[in-house]
Amino acid sequence: MAEIEKKTHPGFYAILVTLIIMAIGPIMLMLINSFKLDVDIISGTSGLIFMPTIQNYETALCDILPYELDHLDFCALKFGGAFVNSLIIALVSTALTLIIGCMAAYALVRFKFFGRDTASATTLMVRMVPPAVLLVPVFGLWNNEFCLDKTGLVGGWIRDTFGGRGDVCLAGTHSGIILIYIAMNLPFVIWILQSFIVQVPRQLEEAARMDGAGPFQIFFKIVLPLIKPGLAAAAIFTFRIAWNEYLLASALSDRDTKTVPILIVNNMSEYNVEWGVIMATGMLLAIPPILFTLFASRQIITGMTAGAVKG
Amino acid sequence: MSTAKLNRLSPYLFLAPAFLVMVLALLYPLGYMIYGSFRDWNPSQALGESTFVGLKNYYTLWHDPNFRESVVVTLKFAISVVTIEMFIGVGLALLLDRNLRGMSLLRTLFILPMMIAPVVVGLIWKYMYHPTLGVFNDTLRALGMEPVEWLSQHALLSIIIADIWQWTPFIFILALAALQSLPRSALEAARIDGATGWQQIIHIKLPLMMPVLIVTCLLRLIDAFKVLEVILVMTAGGPGLTTEIMALRISRTATEFRELGVAAAMSNYLLMMLLLLTVLMLTYNRWIEYRANKAQRAAEEAL
């Protein structure tokens, strides 16, 4: 290229630095405050001169820490349990969405049921449905319809094993929340995986078939390893929704299945907010997405731009 | 079952779980919601026990000033955030579309606000807007100005600012990707013909980016209608109804007022609005593509 190398104006770097500070400033603020005691936060000696402490994190996680805390007589915030719930729900729904989505995407590409256009249209349609719209029907269905009769064989067994009264319903269980997250994410996952599966050369599969591999073997041993980047992007997006979602989880969870976002919202609406502890919890909730972003930003951008930008 | 038969069935076996989940957890609930919107239904009843009331829920809502208020707030919020974000995002992309060191770092860090939980975003901003503790009022005081009651006097503006912080990067990244995939030849030709920077942007870059920008705008608009957690944490719809967007109103109607039928009808209104928007935008996009194709064909014939 005969393009003349233009010198970049230093102003551009100034803009760049400003943008970076604006983007991560608020998050850094939360990080710093999560290491401050409430006394330091409220006294308003804003700045970096304070004694950093992990007491907020200890308070937040008091119910799963192996040791007793001196500054607390009673562990009121059960964030530890909520973290376990959040982890179970996010990991299981991500894994299931990927497995189901992968199989469906493969079938759609290889056996040509309908093209990518249909998949993109479905994706867009599902993306259009706000979680708030699902709130009412999901609440009704999960509580009243998706139930096993307690006198039935399976329902009776569950009631005998786990106790409780009434019919065995999806609401209030981890599976209930997981099911709706899978449904919300599936179209996107299928759609993004399709674009990766299309690129797997047909000959490779033909060769495997010649060697006597069945469709399942071909899928697991040939196709899956080749679409790893697509799987990574799909996994991150699914995990993010399942990990961060509040509304449906709050409608479907009971006392024992609350996730972290629910506890944060509950504690924020109180009159006297314990800023330090809340920030520590917020930070803990933000850590997995932050790690994904730092290590897999390329895949995230792929997932984000796919669909709008062709090619 | 023979192997051959299993092989023939395998596509259906591969598709079955996805199909089942989508029908059970998405299509059926949506149908259930539409059915429920015609009924007088409260959370303690099963849907079958509720009474049929026809279009009463829709009619009541249409004349309910509170609901109308929330529609207006939703539209105000969605239109202002999308407009401002489009301007800033596309502007920044045009400005920074060059080989700068640190660009990939910027893109990585720019994604962060979108990736962390909306609940956490709300929490951070609620803290920053805090009348006595927040950084904004600290700064104002340091500059010798009167502190502002962000979340009570300027609630809508405050949530709009928070949304701009969170989502402008999305538009920036998409616009930048679009810019970098533009055909080099067109830009080269313009440069040789002596087009200035502005002329290149207005006559070449923006028109070529248009299809991507429209889809971006559509995606952002859809998402703006879905924002709920950030606002719930920051203002909970208050003060009064000034920031009560439709999604929040649906959730309050269902959980606080315990009127599931009305909430379902409201959900349906919201869904219809979004559907209309999507169809409009997609049609417009099709039309633009069609026109571009026609122009291209005409140009080829002229050669």
Side-chain angles (χ1 to χ4, degrees), chain B residues 281-293:
Chain B
M281 283 255 185
L282 286 184
T283 319
Y284 182 66
N285 205 17
R286 278 276 152 80
W287 182 66
I288 288 231
E289 267 175 28
Y290 168 79
R291 225 180 43 173
N293 282 343

Side-chain angles (χ1 to χ4, degrees), chain B residues 82-104:
Chain B
V82 173
T83 319
I84 300 173
E85 285 165 15
M86 284 303 283
F87 270 106
I88 304 180
V90 176
L92 281 178
L94 288 169
L95 190 67
L96 296 174
D97 175 32
R98 54 192 76 212
N99 285 325
L100 281 182
R101 232 177 298 157
M103 202 56 198
S104 60

Side-chain angles (χ1 to χ4, degrees), chain B residues 43-228:
Chain B
S44 52
Q45 325 170 273
L47 186 55
E49 300 160 5
S50 58
T51 42
F52 180 77
V53 291
L55 285 170
K56 181 170 160 271
N57 291 334
Y58 290 93
Y59 183 81
T60 325
L61 280 177
W62 189 260
H63 294 281
D64 178 6
N66 291 344
F67 175 68
R68 290 190 160 192
E69 172 78 29
S70 82
V71 174
V72 173
V73 171
T74 312
L75 288 176
K76 262 197 223 165
F77 173 78
I79 293 172
S80 27
V81 296
V82 173
T83 319
I84 300 173
E85 285 165 15
M86 284 303 283
F87 270 106
I88 304 180
V90 176
L92 281 178
L94 288 169
L95 190 67
L96 296 174
D97 175 32
R98 54 192 76 212
N99 285 325
L100 281 182
R101 232 177 298 157
M103 202 56 198
S104 60
L105 178 70
L106 175 72
R107 270 197 298 191
T108 305
L109 296 180
F110 247 29
I111 309 174
L112 276 179
M114 297 180 251
M115 296 299 286
I116 59 178
V119 170
V120 176
V121 173
L123 155 73
I124 298 177
W125 281 85
K126 186 168 185 177
Y127 172 74
M128 295 203 300
Y129 281 135
H130 196 282
T132 50
L133 309 176
V135 270
F136 290 123
N137 278 352
D138 278 353
T139 319
L140 285 181
R141 269 192 293 267
L143 293 172
M145 282 189 276
E146 279 294 299
V148 177
E149 293 279 335
W150 292 98
L151 289 177
S152 43
Q153 281 168 359
H154 307 284
L156 190 60
L157 177 72
S158 305
I159 60 172
I160 288 175
I161 294 176
D163 195 84
I164 292 173
W165 172 77
Q166 196 187 1
W167 286 104
T168 302
F170 176 73
I171 292 173
F172 170 75
I173 284 171
L174 284 176
L176 195 64
L179 260 177
Q180 288 173 346
S181 66
L182 289 187
R184 288 288 137 203
S185 54
L187 296 175
E188 204 79 350
R191 205 172 306 138
I192 291 168
D193 287 348
T196 62
W198 275 109
Q199 283 172 330
Q200 282 183 36
I201 288 174
I202 290 171
H203 297 294
I204 318 253
K205 289 183 182 168
L206 281 180
L208 283 175
M209 285 163 74
M210 216 20 112
V212 177
L213 290 186
I214 289 171
V215 176
T216 311
C217 188
L218 169 67
L219 291 177
R220 195 52 218 115
L221 202 57
I222 290 175
D223 286 348
F225 277 92
K226 290 163 52 174
V227 174
L228 176 127

Side-chain angles (χ1 to χ4, degrees), chain A residues 124-133, chain B residues 74-75 78 218-227 246-247 250 266-282:
Chain A
L124 190 64
M125 287 299 175
V126 174
R127 185 164 178 165
M128 213 180 67
V129 178
V133 166
Chain B
T74 312
L75 288 176
L218 169 67
L219 291 177
R220 195 52 218 115
L221 202 57
I222 290 175
D223 286 348
F225 277 92
K226 290 163 52 174
V227 174
M246 281 170 85
I250 292 172
M266 220 182 275
S267 312
N268 227 348
Y269 271 131
L270 179 58
L271 209 54
M272 284 191 293
M273 258 166 73
L274 281 169
L275 193 66
L276 188 73
L277 255 167
T278 314
V279 170
L280 273 180
M281 283 255 185
L282 286 184

